[in-house]
């Protein structure tokens, strides 16, 4: 086997790694670079870079700096001006409500109350939408878009009705409730919203719900609630009505009326308008009937023990045929609906929710006139009634057949509502 030949000196030198040696003196040997040449190379690279980038000590002129700063200040001024404009718009709106032009503490308080009310409405709408989603119910279209600035309405009239009251609803449509384009005009020009208020059947999507849906498709005058209908659930329905109406319409007043009661809309509007500057008002025919503790009687109170001994009376509250509350009270119900106690009688429940609050109770007997000849005599004397019904029936007796007569003898002229200024 042949022996390997020794590697030549030249070959060994070619395979040796190259080293760059920095020294203060040039030795003239291969593979070394002096410090001087390294410095010159660095400086050459630096100036070459400056030459190609064309940025050799380019200091911006003073006018360019001023221009940039002015642009920034202009943008900031636009933002501030936008917020300031919104604030001034709110102040101007508050002054218009008060009918004053000067800036006063009362103006500022009104503006703050309005801002708080808007936030409460947004919160209420969000809660209603969340509750509908959690319960698997469809979210009303109006709740899908929550707006900070909503159209302002004067009053919302909710007509309490039931599944078996189709004839009553038709009788109301044929008398005091405007239909079609007139009802739409009433909302747009007078700020008055009128809807029949009803919930759902025990079986969602059943025959009862389908019948109401078909009726609503024809008339488009229902407010459907996330509520299961039942006579013993009127307190819950009333609470849900105010909360839902408050979330849908920003109104000054919210009215509840039964579907067997005759109403003069213009007179109702004029009556409420007299109290519009009061923040918390509860308007109706106030009463304080006895607490009925004996089972089996009408209006039996299962929680009678809360009101003291036998023979005690309820606190003052509005009779259930028709009553109205102001915007702040509707907001209170909407926000606190999950903790408000429900008594078996809905008018008692509503009155109880305002106990302990700074609420002004307005007792107005024009909201509970009798049927003819009572309401007719009052109309002839120049004191048109807001609502008419029979106390013995807690509504107009046989209202389907008699409400037309009541309307003819006690109803205001059709042009009255269009000439009214609230």
């Amino acid at each position: 086997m042949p022996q390997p030949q020794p590697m030549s000196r030249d070959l060994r030198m070619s395979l040796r790694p190259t080293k760059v040696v920095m020294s203060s003196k040039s030795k003239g040997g291969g593979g070394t670079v002096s410090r001087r040449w390294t410095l010159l190379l660095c400086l050459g690279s630096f100036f070459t870079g400056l030459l190609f980038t064309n940025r050799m000590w380019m200091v911006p002129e003073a006018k360019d700096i001023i221009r940039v700063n002015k642009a920034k200040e202009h943008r900031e001024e636009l933002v501030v001006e936008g917020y300031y404009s919104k604030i001034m718009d709110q102040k101007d709106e508050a002054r218009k409500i008060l009918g004053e032009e000067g800036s006063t503490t009362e103006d500022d308080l009104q503006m703050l109350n309005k801002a708080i009310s808007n936030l409460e409405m947004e919160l209420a709408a969000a809660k209603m939408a969340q509750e509908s989603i959690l319960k698997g119910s469809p979210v009303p279209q109006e709740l899908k878009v929550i707006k900070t600035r909503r159209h302002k309405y004067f009053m919302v009239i909710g007509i309490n009705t039931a599944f078996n009251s189709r004839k009553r609803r038709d009788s109301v449509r044929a008398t005091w409730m405007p239909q079609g384009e007139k009802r739409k005009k009433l909302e747009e020009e007078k700020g008055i919203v009128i809807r029949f208020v009803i919930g759902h059947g025990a079986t969602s999507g059943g025959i009862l719900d389908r019948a109401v849906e078909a009726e609503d498709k024809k008339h488009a005058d229902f407010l459907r609630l996330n509520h299961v209908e039942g006579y013993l659930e009127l307190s819950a329905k009333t609470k849900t009505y105010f909360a839902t109406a408050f979330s849908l319409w920003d109104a000054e007043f919210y009215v509840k009326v039964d579907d067997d009661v005759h109403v003069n809309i213009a007179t109702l509007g004029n009556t409420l308008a007299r109290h519009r500057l009061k923040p918390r008002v509860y308007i109706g025919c106030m009463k304080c009937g006895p607490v009925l503790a004996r089972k089996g009687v009408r209006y039996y109170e299962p929680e009678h023990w809360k009101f003291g001994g036998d023979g005690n009376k309820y606190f003052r509250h509005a009779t259930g045929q028709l009553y109205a509350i102001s915007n702040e009270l509707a907001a209170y119900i909407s926000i606190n609906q999950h903790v408000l106690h429900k008594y078996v009688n809905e008018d008692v429940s509503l009155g109880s929710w305002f106990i302990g609050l700074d609420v002004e109770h307005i007792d107005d007997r024009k909201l509970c006139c009798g049927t003819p000849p009572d309401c007719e005599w009052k109309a002839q004397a120049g004191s048109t009634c807001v609502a008419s019904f029979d106390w013995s029936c807690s509504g107009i007796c046989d209202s389907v057949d008699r409400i037309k007569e009541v309307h003819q003898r006690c109803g205001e002229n059709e042009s009255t509502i269009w000439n009214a200024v609230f």
Side-chain angles (χ1 to χ4, degrees), residues 157-159 183 187 193-197 220-223 249:
I157 303 176
I159 307 172
R183 184 168 57 82
E187 293 183 13
V193 178
I194 307 177
R195 295 288 190 276
F196 286 106
V197 180
D221 56 3
F222 277 92
L223 170 60
W249 298 287

Side-chain angles (χ1 to χ4, degrees), residues 381-399:
S383 181
T384 304
C385 293
V386 171
S388 302
F389 58 89
D390 298 308
W391 282 103
S392 59
C393 297
S394 297
I396 298 175
C397 298
D398 301 321
S399 65

Side-chain angles (χ1 to χ4, degrees), residues 3-70:
Q3 296 295 324
Q5 297 296 325
M7 188 179 296
S8 65
R9 182 176 182 274
D10 294 336
L11 181 60
R12 289 197 301 271
M13 291 298 294
S14 65
L15 295 176
R16 183 178 300 171
T18 304
K19 294 190 296 182
V20 177
V21 179
M22 303 298 293
S23 63
S24 60
K25 293 183 180 181
S26 177
K27 297 183 179 179
T32 62
V33 180
S34 68
R35 180 177 298 179
R36 182 180 300 171
W37 282 107
T38 302
L39 181 60
L40 290 175
L41 287 173
C42 291
L43 290 174
S45 299
F46 174 73
F47 285 109
T48 302
L50 290 179
L51 178 64
F52 283 100
T53 57
N54 194 27
R55 296 186 62 180
M56 188 173 181
W57 302 101
M58 295 292 291
V59 180
E61 297 182 6
K63 61 181 182 180
D64 294 329
I65 298 176
I66 294 173
R67 189 181 299 116
V68 173
N69 289 339
K70 284 186 175 180

